[in-house]
Amino acid sequence: MSTAQSPRPDDTPRTSGPADLKGESPWARTLLVALVVGALFWAVTALLAPDSGTLRQFVSAVLCAGAAVTVQYVLGLAPQDRARLDDTRPDDARLDHARLEEHTRSVEEHTRRVESALAEHTTAVRDGLNRYDDELKTGLTRHTEDVKQLVETHVAQTDHHTAESAGARLDPVRIDRLPDLAKGFADVLLPSPSILHTFVHLEMSRVVGHMADLTNLSAECPGENHDWMLTLTRAAEHSILATSTSVDREFWSSEPAGRYLDAQQAAIDEQGVTVRRLFLLESARELDDRLLRLCEEQELRRIDVRAAVLPELPPHLQRGTTNDFILYDEEVSFEIEQDLRDVNVRTRLTARQEYVRDRLKRFRELWDAGMGLRELEVRVDDEEDGNWMVDRA
């Protein structure tokens, strides 16, 4: 008798349909599905088109079954394809991971190269700027030294020629400060555009040219220089004596005239400067309300104003210059010259004592012969009423 136990129902190996089918016959499930689909298609065709013929129905069923196999293969439902996918997925994952690591290393290498290039470029730019600053500072220092030497040379040459006649010279201490002032102004513009450096150079050359001319106590420039007039007004400490002819009558309604009057009022209020202005008229016809309003406006600014009609002056006062001139502190004469068309063509600055004395004498004589504001008001009223007959012919 055998002692081996008979197998129990629970001990019988179980089969899991799809898994065992896939292991025993890989294509069994695929072919079974195709066969079922083909049979169904044949049945449907027979029902819908019984007259189509058996052979045609069979061929259609076979084609449909083949299509079912193809669709399963394309969709990856075939067992072999799944097995191949299962076998290749780890390789694809490893390949993707390797590619990702390689890309990461490439990006890091590129980043390091870019950072290195930027660092080198930044260093090169910084070195270039430092060299540019050093060269510019060296050039400015050399230029200021040249300017200082040029001014000192002109001062030394002029001292010898003007010591006996004029007895006046420019203060060397102030001259020494001018190059430092120019250098300080140029340093402020350091890293500005190159056109500003060129502008500074040209302006310094122009100013140095005027300074060189002033060593001879005289300088001039073309046209009407309002900057000189304003600067001298701010520099005045005692008095400003000015004449105004009909040539510059339009000047008083311009923008520079407003700044000029403001500067004179500031000199009066802050420095206690005495300001006098004498209007010289070519004809009594110029005695009108316009002139009166101009005088009253300046009178409100505490500027002493008078007017004189040239044809009514004594003969000895009618002779002499009638150009506009301004005397600052009775030491410097600022003059504007006109051409035959009464156009301002030149501005001259003179500090020669004899010339300034003649101008001062001329101004005082004309001032004493002029009319004050109250007398001017009466005269304007008489002119309007036709009671004053001088210069009416």
Side-chain angles (χ1 to χ4, degrees):
M1 175 181 283
S2 173
T3 59
Q5 297 180 355
S6 60
R8 298 178 182 179
D10 295 339
D11 295 337
T12 304
R14 295 181 180 179
T15 59
S16 56
D20 293 343
L21 286 174
K22 188 182 300 184
E24 296 174 357
S25 180
W27 284 95
R29 183 177 180 179
T30 301
L31 295 177
L32 179 61
V33 171
L35 182 60
V36 172
V37 171
L40 289 176
F41 185 80
W42 192 354
V44 171
T45 303
L47 290 175
L48 295 178
D51 298 336
S52 60
T54 304
L55 180 61
R56 181 177 296 180
Q57 295 175 359
F58 177 75
V59 172
S60 299
V62 171
L63 292 176
C64 184
V69 174
T70 304
V71 169
Q72 292 183 79
Y73 183 81
V74 171
L75 294 179
L77 298 178
Q80 291 183 358
D81 292 343
R82 288 185 178 180
R84 186 161 54 248
L85 288 174
D86 293 339
D87 294 339
T88 57
R89 279 175 185 174
D91 295 336
D92 293 341
R94 287 191 296 271
L95 181 60
D96 293 340
H97 182 69
R99 290 177 179 176
L100 179 61
E101 290 182 352
E102 183 180 359
H103 179 69
T104 303
R105 287 193 299 271
S106 177
V107 170
E108 293 177 353
E109 181 67 21
H110 179 70
T111 302
R112 286 194 296 270
R113 291 180 181 178
V114 171
E115 291 177 351
S116 177
L118 288 176
E120 293 178 359
H121 182 69
T122 303
T123 303
V125 171
R126 186 186 300 111
D127 294 341
L129 290 176
N130 291 334
R131 287 195 301 270
Y132 175 76
D133 290 343
D134 294 340
E135 293 176 359
L136 185 58
K137 290 180 180 179
T138 303
L140 287 174
T141 303
R142 188 185 305 110
H143 180 67
T144 52
E145 291 295 332
D146 294 340
V147 171
K148 182 177 179 181
Q149 183 178 2
L150 175 63
V151 174
E152 290 177 350
T153 301
H154 278 282
V155 172
Q157 293 176 353
T158 306
D159 286 344
H160 178 71
H161 296 291
T162 61
E164 297 179 358
S165 59
R169 65 184 65 180
L170 296 176
D171 188 357
V173 176
R174 294 181 180 179
I175 294 175
D176 289 339
R177 293 174 182 173
L178 289 176
D180 295 336
L181 179 63
K183 182 178 183 298
F185 177 73
D187 288 340
V188 174
L189 297 177
L190 278 176
S192 297
S194 60
I195 187 174
L196 291 182
H197 299 298
T198 304
F199 172 76
V200 170
H201 175 74
L202 294 176
E203 283 296 299
M204 290 174 60
S205 300
R206 181 180 61 83
V207 172
V208 169
H210 293 320
M211 291 170 56
D213 294 337
L214 286 176
T215 57
N216 295 321
L217 302 181
S218 179
E220 64 179 33
C221 70
E224 188 174 358
N225 195 320
H226 296 148
D227 293 334
W228 284 4
M229 186 169 58
L230 290 173
T231 303
L232 287 170
T233 300
R234 297 187 183 101
E237 298 178 353
H238 304 293
S239 64
I240 299 176
L241 311 177
T243 64
S244 178
T245 63
S246 59
V247 175
D248 67 341
R249 197 59 46 82
E250 299 297 331
F251 166 77
W252 297 110
S253 60
S254 64
E255 187 273 336
R259 291 188 286 122
Y260 180 44
L261 291 176
D262 291 340
Q264 287 189 338
Q265 186 173 1
I268 295 172
D269 297 337
E270 300 174 5
Q271 303 293 335
V273 176
T274 299
V275 181
R276 292 180 176 179
R277 177 161 291 106
L278 177 63
F279 290 96
L280 300 177
L281 311 178
E282 296 182 354
S283 170
R285 296 184 179 87
E286 298 181 19
L287 292 169
D288 53 15
D289 289 338
R290 182 183 178 187
L291 175 64
L292 188 59
R293 287 194 300 269
L294 180 60
C295 294
E296 290 174 347
E297 177 190 359
Q298 300 197 16
E299 187 80 14
L300 292 176
R301 294 176 179 266
R302 293 190 294 165
I303 298 175
D304 298 332
V305 179
R306 289 190 181 184
V309 181
L310 292 177
E312 300 177 8
L313 297 177
H316 71 282
L317 292 181
Q318 295 184 23
R319 294 186 294 269
T321 181
T322 58
N323 290 341
D324 293 335
F325 65 88
I326 307 174
L327 299 176
Y328 294 93
D329 290 344
E330 301 181 3
E331 294 180 352
V332 177
S333 175
F334 174 90
E335 302 180 17
I336 299 176
E337 296 183 4
Q338 296 88 25
D339 59 10
L340 297 178
R341 299 170 298 172
D342 291 336
V343 177
N344 297 328
V345 295
R346 185 178 298 104
T347 301
R348 177 179 290 112
L349 195 64
T350 305
R352 296 190 179 94
Q353 291 184 0
E354 294 182 359
Y355 187 87
V356 174
R357 280 197 298 265
D358 291 341
R359 280 286 188 262
L360 181 60
K361 179 181 177 182
R362 174 70 172 169
F363 179 85
R364 287 174 176 173
E365 292 174 347
L366 294 173
W367 180 263
D368 293 339
M371 297 176 289
L373 182 59
R374 301 297 170 260
E375 185 179 357
L376 181 61
E377 292 176 352
V378 176
R379 179 66 183 277
V380 170
D381 292 339
D382 292 338
E383 287 289 333
E384 292 179 350
D385 296 339
N387 299 328
W388 196 272
M389 302 304 297
V390 176
D391 199 27
R392 282 289 183 180

